Each structure stands twice: as structure tokens, then as C-alpha cells.
Amino acid sequence: MSPHAVVATGIGAIGPWGGGVEGLARALAAGRPLGVEIDGEGRDDRASRLAALVPDVDLSRWLPPASARRLGRPSRWAVAAARIALEDAGLPSLDGARVAVILATSFGAVRFTENLVRQTLVEGPESAQPFYFSECVANAAAAQVALAVGARGANVTVTQREAGPLVALARGTSEVREGRADVALVGAADEMTPLLHRVLDRFGATARPTAHHDEAPRPFDVARNGMLAGEGAAVLVLEREADAVARGASRRVRVAGTAGAFDAEAAPSDWGEGDETMARGIARALARAGRSPAAIDRVVAGASGSRRGDRLEARALSRAWAGAPRPPVLVPKAVTGEYGGGQLAAAFLAALGVPFGPVAAMTAVEPGLDVGVHDGSPLPIPEAVLVGALAAGGAGAWAVLERA
Amino acid sequence: MPGADPGGTTGAKIVVTGLGAITAFGWGVAPLWEGLREGTTAVGPITRFDASLHRTRLAAEVPLALAPHGARRATWADRFAVAAAEEATRQAGLTPAACADAGVYFGSSTGGMLESEAYYATLIGPRARHARPSLLVAQQLNGPGDAVARSLGTSGPVESVSSACASGSMAIGAALRALRRGDVELAIAGGSDSLCQLTYAGFNALRSVDERACRPFRRDRAGLSIGEGAGVLVLESLAHARARGAFPIAVLAGEGEACDAHHMTAPHPEGIGASAAISQALADAETDAAEIDFVNAHGTGTPHNDLAEARAMHRVFGDRTGSIPVTSTKALLGHLLGSAGAVEAVATVLGLVRREVHPMPVAGEPDEAIGLRLVLGRPLALPRAIAALSTSLAFGGANAALVFRCAEAA
């Protein structure tokens, strides 16, 4: 064990599957997308109708209802997820000054932002409520987590769209590895609203029903036509492996290497064709973990059903693996949808060997994309998984996770 | 990973080799320094949007008419960012090829919210079907950082940070760490934000905006003024700079980050998190508190922030506090939110290079409860200045501090 090694020892998540990660594990095993009908006043027949929305979950065990009322939904979920994660890690006590919080968000507290914009632009600026303003800043969730658990270390909010959760994981890992924190709470929080959903749909980002197929996210699939927009929060507890071993933490997933890259040819809010650049990012993550492609047992892809994003990811993986035997590729966003940290939580579970089922909505992988989407057959417990995510706009991030 | 200890850091000395700034004083570092030395506030009547219904009507606006041509479809936040990055990389003598693997670390609090407000305004009105989603394309908080990376053609990592008013400082801190780790050999770090109604109305709703130009650390201070713009630093290891014949302008010696965990919008009254961030930055910079020659304070001009920040400084600097020159760039340019830390880092480096601290306007009596030595009216010459501190205190109690040392220390 390297004296600097960092492990994740706990996980908490609130998502379309409900509270905790047991529901996520069941959903991943079932392989069915967690999309439900989202309000869509005035939308046409061809428009996307589904989103992976957090159901009514009783959060009172982790967040007193009086406190919850003052928070935006991403903050509520993040606080609950952080408390679940700390409980899961079994950390006896925290020295607040040594706890960092690094969360990612793509859109922040959208509902409050919409309310504030509506008040400002329609009802007049004097109608703007301070409550909405303070909770609609992007770092509200990270700040509320710090307040809830007394975390006085670095408090950083990463906003790198779909790559954000893995950037936050990398950032939190370095906080612990370089000795600035003993514990880092890392993850993501996002919410989906009818308005944001409508905007994403108008961009062509979300899956739509067709004459041949139901509306569903189909990562890497020939019939894919967009993602399932999701929401929720996921938080991992990171600490030094030596500390985790010393206190007898039973579940440990090592963050063995991380890397990022950028495709400068990508247009804003779109994916480019820089698979060579992305493959170099993958190679850096593997090199930092001291692993060859052949020593990766599973890939947890960021593929969401996006036409261009999935193609880029498949080509980057092909390039990175070159002639090496290809591991099965897991596609958790086919279940959780995009945003809200579902992929990060799923990657933690994948590294522990939690079984993933066949993806119900899949038809066939797009011809020419050399990617072996996992068919749900039983797999041995992995030693190492590569998790990756490519953001609209050009950024990519990867991490190698190992069962410690 | 070139030369890195897989667990720790290379310990390399990280230097600043390029600066860029877009502010209400103009498009570039030269007008910025000229305006800062002049010491007259750029806060004036808002022209960007109809402010007649807002409680206050002042801000420090970037002169858009002076914008360079190109990228007209991009948001102003992106254009500020790209222009500042172009200036900084030009000064650093970087060719596009040299930027090929650079990392970009960038802060923004609202991205292109100004443009997306137009979209929302249409979308929630009777002409919703006519709303143009293209207005939202570059609104994302990762917009400015991505735009910089795209304009430089880099394939390196890009990390966008949105920790409210500490975003810019945190982005620079992230770059410092990535360089020390050896993750990248060259980093473009900074922040960008443009004025928008959402932020303006929000701070007004909190009654945090002064009806006059802000007066940091003064007894009659009554809130902040809002500004806009971008600041960018080119950062690299000293060895990397020397190898390519670049001139180090200053040393980015250390950074610190700490959270108050106290309140969503109010700082801890004793500045606990701010003092922790400052202490960490000093330790990281291997710089004794006694070595700090001046402070570019967060200094927003709100009653609580300035007092909390002063208390943080008293805690760190002890008896020496009252003798350290302190200035606030916000007194002249307003609060640039997600890019405040970046532009103030540029101002701090300029102070070390020119060996003088820029002043704040004289207006207002100093607050004795603050107990700081304020630089007022005219620049203060510090011929022997070696080290300086820049602080950022944000919503959510997120604090960050940066320590710079003069290039001779390299």
C-alpha cells in the first residue's frame, strides 16, 4: 500500500431510485431506465416526456424538516447523501478542520434560479427574495454540506458539466493524498425541472420516442437519440488508506489514478471528434494507476445515449485499448440518467463487484463502435475499473478505481 | 506524469509568466494598472440593463464598445475570459503549440447569465415558442473556462470552479497544485463574470449593495458595488519557464482554502475560516506572516465582511496588523464575483512588480474597529516589497487565500 493511497470508504446517494444505494444497486441489476413522466405543458408529441426524478423520499432522518424547507432540493439531497455516506463509512468522529467538501454541479439549484429570474424579470427586481438568491448560487449544496457536518476544510464546487463528478473525485483525492485534509466528501448534486428539461429537449439532448422505439436512453446503441435527464445527489467519503485500514473500515475502493483532457474542437455544449485527445487522457489515468489497459476489468462509461458523446467515448476507448483485450463496458446512465451523481455512485458499486443487469432498452451497438456493452451475464469481482465521463463542451475526466 | 512523486508533489517553484485583465478600466493590464494607480472608482450608472426598478443603480461596467472583434456570438463572460487569456499568453510568449497540453483552471459564478436572462424572459412570457435556445448554449458555468481552452487549442485538463466569490482564487489554487503535482507543465488560471440582473437583484434583495460606490473598511460602508470582467494568470514551474526562455513576473508561492461552516451568506464574525485559509496559504508558501508586505483584501464594503476579514487578519498578523498596508481592488472596480480573486491576483502581482500598492478612494472615515492601515488616495511605494497576500471570502463560508512573492525570490 502506498503511504499516499486514498480510498473511498462510504457512499451516500439520493436519486431516482430513492434514498440510499441499495435501491440503486437493485435498479442497476434490473437495467431499466428510471424515467418517469415530467410536467411538459404545451410540448408537442415528438418531444421528450421522461426524466429520472427523485421520488418523495423521507429525508427527516438525515435532515430535520425545518432545515430542509430552507434549502434547495440539490442541497437537501447533498446533505442527506453526505450524512448517509459518513454513516456508511463508519467514521467515529470528524475533526471539522480536516474535512474537505468537493461537489460538482451542472446546473445548481435550477428551481430557485428560475424563481429568482422570474421575480426579477417579470415581477420586478424588488420582488426578488434573498432566500432564493443565497440558495441558487452553484456552491450552495457544498456549503450546506459543510454547515451540516461542520466541515471547515476546503469547500469547492466544480462545474464541468458531465465530467464534473470525476473532476470533484480527483480534486478530493488530492486534498487527502497531499495531506490538506483527512477526509474529503466528494460527489455531485443536480436537479431537473420541467423548464430545464424543455431546454435540453429543444437542444436535442434528451431521448425522444420514435416510430420504432419507446423513449429511453440507449448508450452506444444504434437507435440512441439522446439521454435521460436525471437528478439527485451522490457523495463518497475519501480518506487515507492507512487510516481506513487502521480503523478497520471494511469496504474500500482505492482511487488509483485520475486524469483530465479537453477536446478543443468541440463546440460549446456539444461533443467533438477528438478521440485521440481523449484516448491520451485515458492513458494518463491508467499510467497514474500503474495499470495497462489489459489490467482493467471493467469500464464504467459515461455514455448516456447522446449521439455524438457516446461515439466519441467509444472511439476513445478503442484507441486507448488498441489491441488489448476489451473489458465489459457498463453503462449506468441507461438506468440513472445523466446528472445528479448516479454514475459516480454506480462506479463505486461496480468497483465492489455489485452486479449490473442487461440494459433493457438496448437494441444493438452502433455498427463501427467497437464497444462491448455488458450483457448482464455474471462477472467475477473486479480488481480495477476505469470510469470516465465526457462533458458537453469538450472536457473529459477519468479515474481508475481498485478494490482495496 | 513527469517527475512527480505519485503520492505527493514535486515541490517545484511555480511562477507567473503572463497576466491578462479585462475590467471597467479597460481591455488589458495596462489600463487596469493605470486606473488602479489613479485611485478613482470606476463604479458608475448601469447601462447594461434597465436598472430603474432596482433598489440601487450603480456598477462598474467593462466598456463593451472597446471590445476586440471576433466571437460576437459568444457571451460577454466568455469574451472577457478569452481576451484576458490571449493577453496573458501573449505576455508569456506562448505560441499555440506551447499551449497544446496546458491545463485550464477557471472560475465563474454566473457564466453567461446575462444572455440566458433574455432567453428566460422570452420563455416565461407569451412568446415562449420564439425563445432561442442558442442564447443558453454558452450560459453554462463551464463556459468561460471551456472558451479559454478552446481558443488556446489546448488538450490538457479543464477544471471550472463555481464557489461564488472565491471561484477565481480557488481556480488559481487548483492550478498551483496541478503544476506542483506535475499533472501539467503549463496552466492558464483565472476567472470571468459579466454583470447580470439576477446577481444584481439578488445582492440587492440581501440589502448588500451600497447605493453609492462601495467604501471598503470605512465607518460608513453600506455594502458592495458589483463589477464585471476577467483576470488570467499564466503559471508554470520555474524550470519550465527558464527552459523556454520566459521571464518570471512573480512567484505564486502558496494557497489556502478553508470553510467557515457557519452561515450561508454571512461570514463567521471572527473570520475563523478566512484566518485558517490565510494561515494555510502562508504555510504553503513557506512564508512567515511577518514577511507579508501588503494585503490585497477581499474588502467588499459590506459591514460584516470587512469586520470579519479584519479580525481574520488580526488573528494571523497579531500586533503587526495595523502596520501592514491594506488595499481593496473592489473599491475601484466593484466586486467581480467569480473573477474577483483572479483580477485581484493580477493586481497583487502588479503591486509586487511595480513595488507599490494601489490606493482606494479617500471617501469615508476609516473604521477604527477595523484597525487596518488602509492605502488611500495615492499609491504607496514599497521599494522593498517581497511578499503579498490576496484574500477571497465567499458565500457559503468558502474562503481562499493566495501568497505571491516577487520574482527575485525565484
Side-chain angles (χ1 to χ4, degrees):
Chain A
M1 184 202 320
S2 154
H4 303 291
V6 174
V7 290
T9 53
I11 184 170
I14 305 289
W17 55 86
V21 292
E22 295 76 14
L24 172 61
R26 278 195 298 276
L28 292 169
R32 278 187 293 278
L34 294 167
V36 294
E37 186 97 7
I38 186 168
D39 295 342
E41 193 187 322
R43 74 179 152 215
D44 63 45
D45 292 344
R46 292 171 306 151
S48 169
R49 321 179 68 81
L50 304 178
L53 304 177
V54 175
D56 253 344
V57 184
D58 179 11
L59 301 178
S60 58
R61 194 175 145 215
W62 304 289
L63 183 65
S67 309
R69 276 194 292 277
R70 294 197 302 270
L71 306 189
R73 295 191 308 155
S75 291
R76 290 180 206 173
W77 300 330
V79 167
R83 288 197 158 129
I84 295 169
L86 286 167
E87 206 172 278
D88 186 47
L91 273 172
S93 63
L94 291 176
D95 171 6
R98 303 284 302 159
V99 180
V101 178
I102 322 285
L103 292 188
T105 188
S106 288
F107 307 108
V110 187
R111 189 165 294 186
F112 283 10
T113 305
E114 288 169 6
N115 290 347
L116 189 63
V117 170
R118 189 173 288 117
Q119 287 176 339
T120 304
L121 300 182
V122 180
E123 297 158 29
E126 279 292 298
S127 312
Q129 281 177 270
F131 159 70
Y132 287 139
F133 183 52
S134 58
E135 266 294 305
C136 80
V137 293
N139 63 320
Q144 294 294 358
V145 168
L147 273 169
V149 306
R152 301 197 307 279
N155 192 280
V156 181
T157 297
V158 173
T159 46
Q160 204 57 54
R161 289 285 301 260
E162 294 81 356
L166 293 178
V167 174
L169 175 69
R171 180 71 200 266
T173 302
S174 71
E175 284 295 315
V176 175
R177 189 173 54 206
E178 291 161 20
R180 288 183 299 273
D182 295 332
V183 170
L185 300 173
V186 302
D190 260 305
E191 73 173 323
M192 194 50 51
T193 66
L195 178 60
L196 178 57
H197 184 261
R198 191 151 36 122
V199 169
L200 291 167
D201 181 58
R202 287 184 68 168
F203 271 122
T206 45
R208 289 176 164 195
T210 68
H212 306 289
H213 300 289
D214 293 340
E215 177 182 336
R218 296 180 170 86
F220 300 120
D221 195 286
V222 66
R224 71 185 184 281
N225 63 356
M227 53 122 179
L228 169 65
E231 63 178 9
V235 172
L236 299 178
V237 176
L238 302 182
E239 54 187 310
R240 271 180 294 281
E241 185 166 2
D243 294 348
V245 169
R247 70 179 184 81
S250 54
R251 288 196 312 174
R252 301 189 301 272
V253 171
R254 188 181 300 122
V255 186
T258 61
F262 188 80
D263 177 8
E265 302 302 319
S269 284
D270 197 2
W271 290 266
E273 294 178 356
D275 51 290
E276 198 180 332
T277 299
M278 295 297 152
R280 283 208 304 275
I282 294 172
R284 277 197 294 273
L286 295 177
R288 286 170 188 168
R291 286 186 176 266
S292 67
I296 295 293
D297 306 310
R298 224 86 97 222
V299 170
V300 180
S304 63
S306 145
R307 286 191 199 87
R308 290 167 60 77
D310 291 11
R311 187 175 300 137
L312 177 63
E313 186 172 20
R315 288 179 175 164
L317 286 168
S318 293
R319 254 185 206 279
W321 255 258
R326 303 287 293 276
V329 175
L330 309 179
V331 287
K333 287 177 187 170
V335 174
T336 65
E338 186 69 88
Y339 311 119
Q343 185 202 8
L344 185 66
F348 178 86
L349 297 180
L352 290 171
V354 167
F356 281 51
V359 177
M362 290 288 285
T363 62
V365 169
E366 178 185 328
L369 298 189
D370 180 20
V371 57
V373 175
H374 176 52
D375 60 6
S377 54
L379 294 169
I381 303 286
E383 264 189 37
V385 306
L386 173 78
V387 51
L390 306 184
W398 299 269
V400 175
L401 304 181
E402 299 174 345
R403 200 162 43 85
Chain B
M1 193 159 48
D5 167 0
T9 67
T10 60
K13 187 163 279 183
I14 306 305
V15 295
V16 182
T17 54
L19 298 174
I22 311 302
T23 66
F25 286 137
W27 293 68
V29 168
L32 168 65
W33 185 243
E34 199 178 317
L36 291 176
R37 288 197 81 238
E38 182 74 22
T40 305
T41 183
V43 175
I46 289 178
T47 61
R48 191 67 44 79
F49 51 80
D50 177 8
S52 60
L53 295 175
H54 287 266
R55 190 179 68 90
T56 63
R57 285 153 208 179
L58 301 180
E61 296 181 342
V62 169
L64 300 185
L66 303 180
H69 294 295
R72 289 191 180 280
R73 291 185 60 201
T75 66
W76 283 111
D78 290 7
R79 290 179 72 175
F80 298 160
V82 168
E86 278 174 359
E87 182 183 25
T89 50
R90 199 165 51 241
Q91 184 186 12
L94 289 167
T95 59
C99 292
D101 294 317
V104 174
Y105 304 85
F106 229 78
S108 184
S109 72
T110 53
M113 182 52 85
L114 175 73
E115 288 77 4
S116 52
E117 281 168 357
Y119 175 76
Y120 281 113
T122 314
L123 202 64
I124 58 187
R127 290 168 54 80
R129 282 176 181 277
H130 299 277
R132 289 164 45 213
S134 61
L135 285 172
L136 269 186
V137 166
Q139 183 267 317
Q140 309 305 329
L141 298 169
N142 53 312
D146 283 6
V148 166
R150 207 171 285 123
S151 76
L152 297 175
T154 180
S155 64
V158 176
E159 294 186 17
S160 298
V161 175
S162 189
S163 292
C165 311
S167 307
S169 301
M170 287 184 177
I172 293 167
L176 174 64
R177 292 166 182 186
L179 286 161
R180 282 182 181 162
R181 278 197 299 275
D183 284 359
V184 293
E185 293 186 322
L186 181 70
I188 315 299
S192 183
D193 258 325
S194 65
L195 194 59
C196 67
Q197 294 210 58
L198 178 91
T199 312
Y200 200 76
F203 276 113
N204 262 313
L206 290 170
R207 296 296 187 262
S208 296
V209 187
D210 199 328
E211 291 176 28
R212 298 155 57 197
C214 68
R215 295 173 303 287
F217 302 118
R218 249 49 65 80
R219 194 186 297 154
D220 69 341
R221 67 187 181 277
L224 48 79
S225 297
I226 294 182
E228 62 176 352
V232 169
L233 278 66
V234 174
L235 299 166
E236 56 194 304
S237 70
L238 179 62
H240 188 265
R242 280 187 177 147
R244 64 179 193 88
F247 175 72
I249 302 168
V251 177
L252 172 55
E255 63 97 33
E257 289 167 15
C259 185
D260 287 347
H262 168 71
H263 190 271
M264 191 56 215
T265 55
H268 189 288
E270 298 300 320
I272 295 287
S275 65
I278 296 169
S279 297
Q280 280 176 33
L282 290 168
D284 188 43
E286 296 178 343
T287 295
D288 193 272
E291 292 179 77
I292 292 295
D293 295 295
F294 69 91
V295 178
N296 186 308
H298 187 62
T300 57
T302 64
H304 294 307
N305 174 84
D306 290 5
L307 188 57
E309 186 173 15
R311 285 177 174 162
M313 281 193 250
H314 281 277
R315 181 171 297 105
V316 175
F317 296 112
D319 294 344
R320 217 183 133 243
T321 311
S323 64
I324 303 173
V326 174
T327 193
S328 165
T329 302
K330 293 182 183 76
L332 303 170
L333 290 172
H335 193 337
L336 276 65
L337 310 173
S339 61
V343 168
E344 288 157 23
V346 171
T348 306
V349 170
L350 290 172
L352 279 174
V353 171
R354 310 294 173 102
R355 298 289 205 273
E356 68 181 21
V357 187
H358 79 71
M360 297 184 277
V362 177
E365 290 291 311
D367 182 350
E368 280 167 15
I370 293 277
L372 299 177
R373 179 186 168 192
L374 304 179
V375 181
L376 300 174
R378 56 197 171 93
L380 173 71
L382 288 177
R384 284 189 290 276
I386 289 173
L389 170 74
S390 176
T391 55
S392 294
L393 286 63
F395 261 22
N399 303 283
L402 301 170
V403 173
F404 292 94
R405 296 180 69 95
C406 64
E408 287 76 3

PDB file of all heavy atoms in Angstrom, chain A residues 95-113:
ATOM      1  N   ASP A  95     -12.789  15.614  12.712  1.00  0.00           N
ATOM      2  CA  ASP A  95     -12.148  16.880  13.061  1.00  0.00           C
ATOM      3  C   ASP A  95     -12.484  17.823  11.910  1.00  0.00           C
ATOM      4  O   ASP A  95     -11.885  17.750  10.847  1.00  0.00           O
ATOM      5  CB  ASP A  95     -10.640  16.674  13.201  1.00  0.00           C
ATOM      6  CG  ASP A  95      -9.884  17.990  13.336  1.00  0.00           C
ATOM      7  OD1 ASP A  95     -10.554  19.051  13.442  1.00  0.00           O
ATOM      8  OD2 ASP A  95      -8.646  17.965  13.330  1.00  0.00           O
ATOM      9  N   GLY A  96     -13.485  18.679  12.150  1.00  0.00           N
ATOM     10  CA  GLY A  96     -14.044  19.506  11.079  1.00  0.00           C
ATOM     11  C   GLY A  96     -13.012  20.254  10.260  1.00  0.00           C
ATOM     12  O   GLY A  96     -13.155  20.396   9.041  1.00  0.00           O
ATOM     13  N   ALA A  97     -11.958  20.716  10.908  1.00  0.00           N
ATOM     14  CA  ALA A  97     -10.948  21.499  10.187  1.00  0.00           C
ATOM     15  C   ALA A  97     -10.219  20.649   9.154  1.00  0.00           C
ATOM     16  O   ALA A  97      -9.574  21.180   8.254  1.00  0.00           O
ATOM     17  CB  ALA A  97      -9.948  22.089  11.177  1.00  0.00           C
ATOM     18  N   ARG A  98     -10.324  19.318   9.286  1.00  0.00           N
ATOM     19  CA  ARG A  98      -9.599  18.419   8.390  1.00  0.00           C
ATOM     20  C   ARG A  98     -10.529  17.727   7.389  1.00  0.00           C
ATOM     21  O   ARG A  98     -10.196  16.706   6.826  1.00  0.00           O
ATOM     22  CB  ARG A  98      -8.852  17.358   9.221  1.00  0.00           C
ATOM     23  CG  ARG A  98      -7.880  17.941  10.241  1.00  0.00           C
ATOM     24  CD  ARG A  98      -6.613  18.446   9.596  1.00  0.00           C
ATOM     25  NE  ARG A  98      -5.930  17.393   8.856  1.00  0.00           N
ATOM     26  CZ  ARG A  98      -5.045  17.600   7.886  1.00  0.00           C
ATOM     27  NH1 ARG A  98      -4.743  18.826   7.526  1.00  0.00           N
ATOM     28  NH2 ARG A  98      -4.463  16.586   7.279  1.00  0.00           N
ATOM     29  N   VAL A  99     -11.749  18.299   7.244  1.00  0.00           N
ATOM     30  CA  VAL A  99     -12.711  17.699   6.317  1.00  0.00           C
ATOM     31  C   VAL A  99     -12.976  18.655   5.146  1.00  0.00           C
ATOM     32  O   VAL A  99     -13.422  19.786   5.345  1.00  0.00           O
ATOM     33  CB  VAL A  99     -14.047  17.365   7.028  1.00  0.00           C
ATOM     34  CG1 VAL A  99     -15.032  16.738   6.032  1.00  0.00           C
ATOM     35  CG2 VAL A  99     -13.812  16.436   8.207  1.00  0.00           C
ATOM     36  N   ALA A 100     -12.695  18.210   3.947  1.00  0.00           N
ATOM     37  CA  ALA A 100     -12.947  18.998   2.739  1.00  0.00           C
ATOM     38  C   ALA A 100     -14.250  18.540   2.094  1.00  0.00           C
ATOM     39  O   ALA A 100     -14.638  17.376   2.239  1.00  0.00           O
ATOM     40  CB  ALA A 100     -11.790  18.835   1.755  1.00  0.00           C
ATOM     41  N   VAL A 101     -14.912  19.451   1.417  1.00  0.00           N
ATOM     42  CA  VAL A 101     -16.128  19.113   0.667  1.00  0.00           C
ATOM     43  C   VAL A 101     -15.931  19.578  -0.772  1.00  0.00           C
ATOM     44  O   VAL A 101     -15.700  20.767  -1.019  1.00  0.00           O
ATOM     45  CB  VAL A 101     -17.374  19.803   1.269  1.00  0.00           C
ATOM     46  CG1 VAL A 101     -18.612  19.467   0.435  1.00  0.00           C
ATOM     47  CG2 VAL A 101     -17.576  19.384   2.716  1.00  0.00           C
ATOM     48  N   ILE A 102     -15.964  18.645  -1.705  1.00  0.00           N
ATOM     49  CA  ILE A 102     -15.776  18.981  -3.113  1.00  0.00           C
ATOM     50  C   ILE A 102     -16.954  18.387  -3.890  1.00  0.00           C
ATOM     51  O   ILE A 102     -17.027  17.168  -4.077  1.00  0.00           O
ATOM     52  CB  ILE A 102     -14.459  18.404  -3.686  1.00  0.00           C
ATOM     53  CG1 ILE A 102     -13.295  18.472  -2.687  1.00  0.00           C
ATOM     54  CG2 ILE A 102     -14.127  19.061  -5.016  1.00  0.00           C
ATOM     55  CD1 ILE A 102     -12.680  19.817  -2.472  1.00  0.00           C
ATOM     56  N   LEU A 103     -17.884  19.232  -4.288  1.00  0.00           N
ATOM     57  CA  LEU A 103     -19.058  18.745  -5.001  1.00  0.00           C
ATOM     58  C   LEU A 103     -19.110  19.338  -6.404  1.00  0.00           C
ATOM     59  O   LEU A 103     -18.665  20.461  -6.630  1.00  0.00           O
ATOM     60  CB  LEU A 103     -20.344  19.127  -4.268  1.00  0.00           C
ATOM     61  CG  LEU A 103     -20.625  18.473  -2.919  1.00  0.00           C
ATOM     62  CD1 LEU A 103     -22.033  18.835  -2.455  1.00  0.00           C
ATOM     63  CD2 LEU A 103     -20.473  16.960  -2.976  1.00  0.00           C
ATOM     64  N   ALA A 104     -19.689  18.572  -7.302  1.00  0.00           N
ATOM     65  CA  ALA A 104     -19.891  19.059  -8.669  1.00  0.00           C
ATOM     66  C   ALA A 104     -21.367  19.338  -8.891  1.00  0.00           C
ATOM     67  O   ALA A 104     -22.227  18.689  -8.297  1.00  0.00           O
ATOM     68  CB  ALA A 104     -19.412  18.000  -9.661  1.00  0.00           C
ATOM     69  N   THR A 105     -21.633  20.311  -9.733  1.00  0.00           N
ATOM     70  CA  THR A 105     -23.000  20.509 -10.190  1.00  0.00           C
ATOM     71  C   THR A 105     -22.955  20.999 -11.632  1.00  0.00           C
ATOM     72  O   THR A 105     -22.018  21.701 -12.021  1.00  0.00           O
ATOM     73  CB  THR A 105     -23.779  21.491  -9.292  1.00  0.00           C
ATOM     74  OG1 THR A 105     -25.155  21.502  -9.685  1.00  0.00           O
ATOM     75  CG2 THR A 105     -23.238  22.913  -9.380  1.00  0.00           C
ATOM     76  N   SER A 106     -23.953  20.608 -12.398  1.00  0.00           N
ATOM     77  CA  SER A 106     -24.028  21.099 -13.771  1.00  0.00           C
ATOM     78  C   SER A 106     -24.866  22.360 -13.850  1.00  0.00           C
ATOM     79  O   SER A 106     -24.535  23.303 -14.561  1.00  0.00           O
ATOM     80  CB  SER A 106     -24.633  20.034 -14.691  1.00  0.00           C
ATOM     81  OG  SER A 106     -23.717  18.986 -14.896  1.00  0.00           O
ATOM     82  N   PHE A 107     -25.963  22.374 -13.100  1.00  0.00           N
ATOM     83  CA  PHE A 107     -26.917  23.478 -13.237  1.00  0.00           C
ATOM     84  C   PHE A 107     -27.270  24.158 -11.920  1.00  0.00           C
ATOM     85  O   PHE A 107     -27.968  25.163 -11.923  1.00  0.00           O
ATOM     86  CB  PHE A 107     -28.208  22.962 -13.905  1.00  0.00           C
ATOM     87  CG  PHE A 107     -27.963  22.246 -15.202  1.00  0.00           C
ATOM     88  CD1 PHE A 107     -28.102  20.871 -15.307  1.00  0.00           C
ATOM     89  CD2 PHE A 107     -27.562  22.956 -16.329  1.00  0.00           C
ATOM     90  CE1 PHE A 107     -27.869  20.211 -16.504  1.00  0.00           C
ATOM     91  CE2 PHE A 107     -27.323  22.297 -17.531  1.00  0.00           C
ATOM     92  CZ  PHE A 107     -27.475  20.923 -17.621  1.00  0.00           C
ATOM     93  N   GLY A 108     -26.826  23.587 -10.786  1.00  0.00           N
ATOM     94  CA  GLY A 108     -27.157  24.180  -9.497  1.00  0.00           C
ATOM     95  C   GLY A 108     -28.630  24.017  -9.157  1.00  0.00           C
ATOM     96  O   GLY A 108     -29.314  23.143  -9.681  1.00  0.00           O
ATOM     97  N   ALA A 109     -29.089  24.881  -8.249  1.00  0.00           N
ATOM     98  CA  ALA A 109     -30.479  24.815  -7.796  1.00  0.00           C
ATOM     99  C   ALA A 109     -31.363  25.520  -8.824  1.00  0.00           C
ATOM    100  O   ALA A 109     -31.702  26.698  -8.701  1.00  0.00           O
ATOM    101  CB  ALA A 109     -30.612  25.451  -6.418  1.00  0.00           C
ATOM    102  N   VAL A 110     -31.738  24.777  -9.868  1.00  0.00           N
ATOM    103  CA  VAL A 110     -32.399  25.379 -11.029  1.00  0.00           C
ATOM    104  C   VAL A 110     -33.755  25.985 -10.653  1.00  0.00           C
ATOM    105  O   VAL A 110     -34.112  27.063 -11.120  1.00  0.00           O
ATOM    106  CB  VAL A 110     -32.606  24.317 -12.133  1.00  0.00           C
ATOM    107  CG1 VAL A 110     -33.140  24.970 -13.391  1.00  0.00           C
ATOM    108  CG2 VAL A 110     -31.307  23.606 -12.430  1.00  0.00           C
ATOM    109  N   ARG A 111     -34.494  25.270  -9.807  1.00  0.00           N
ATOM    110  CA  ARG A 111     -35.838  25.750  -9.473  1.00  0.00           C
ATOM    111  C   ARG A 111     -35.770  27.132  -8.809  1.00  0.00           C
ATOM    112  O   ARG A 111     -36.515  28.032  -9.163  1.00  0.00           O
ATOM    113  CB  ARG A 111     -36.512  24.749  -8.536  1.00  0.00           C
ATOM    114  CG  ARG A 111     -37.973  25.029  -8.295  1.00  0.00           C
ATOM    115  CD  ARG A 111     -38.659  23.845  -7.675  1.00  0.00           C
ATOM    116  NE  ARG A 111     -38.685  22.706  -8.600  1.00  0.00           N
ATOM    117  CZ  ARG A 111     -39.331  21.567  -8.353  1.00  0.00           C
ATOM    118  NH1 ARG A 111     -39.973  21.406  -7.218  1.00  0.00           N
ATOM    119  NH2 ARG A 111     -39.320  20.592  -9.241  1.00  0.00           N
ATOM    120  N   PHE A 112     -34.840  27.293  -7.876  1.00  0.00           N
ATOM    121  CA  PHE A 112     -34.704  28.586  -7.207  1.00  0.00           C
ATOM    122  C   PHE A 112     -34.196  29.648  -8.185  1.00  0.00           C
ATOM    123  O   PHE A 112     -34.602  30.806  -8.128  1.00  0.00           O
ATOM    124  CB  PHE A 112     -33.757  28.479  -6.011  1.00  0.00           C
ATOM    125  CG  PHE A 112     -34.375  27.830  -4.806  1.00  0.00           C
ATOM    126  CD1 PHE A 112     -35.605  27.193  -4.868  1.00  0.00           C
ATOM    127  CD2 PHE A 112     -33.724  27.861  -3.575  1.00  0.00           C
ATOM    128  CE1 PHE A 112     -36.177  26.590  -3.770  1.00  0.00           C
ATOM    129  CE2 PHE A 112     -34.289  27.273  -2.455  1.00  0.00           C
ATOM    130  CZ  PHE A 112     -35.513  26.630  -2.553  1.00  0.00           C
ATOM    131  N   THR A 113     -33.299  29.248  -9.069  1.00  0.00           N
ATOM    132  CA  THR A 113     -32.790  30.196 -10.067  1.00  0.00           C
ATOM    133  C   THR A 113     -33.930  30.664 -10.952  1.00  0.00           C
ATOM    134  O   THR A 113     -34.073  31.861 -11.229  1.00  0.00           O
ATOM    135  CB  THR A 113     -31.692  29.539 -10.928  1.00  0.00           C
ATOM    136  OG1 THR A 113     -30.680  29.036 -10.056  1.00  0.00           O
ATOM    137  CG2 THR A 113     -31.072  30.534 -11.884  1.00  0.00           C
TER     138      THR A 113
END
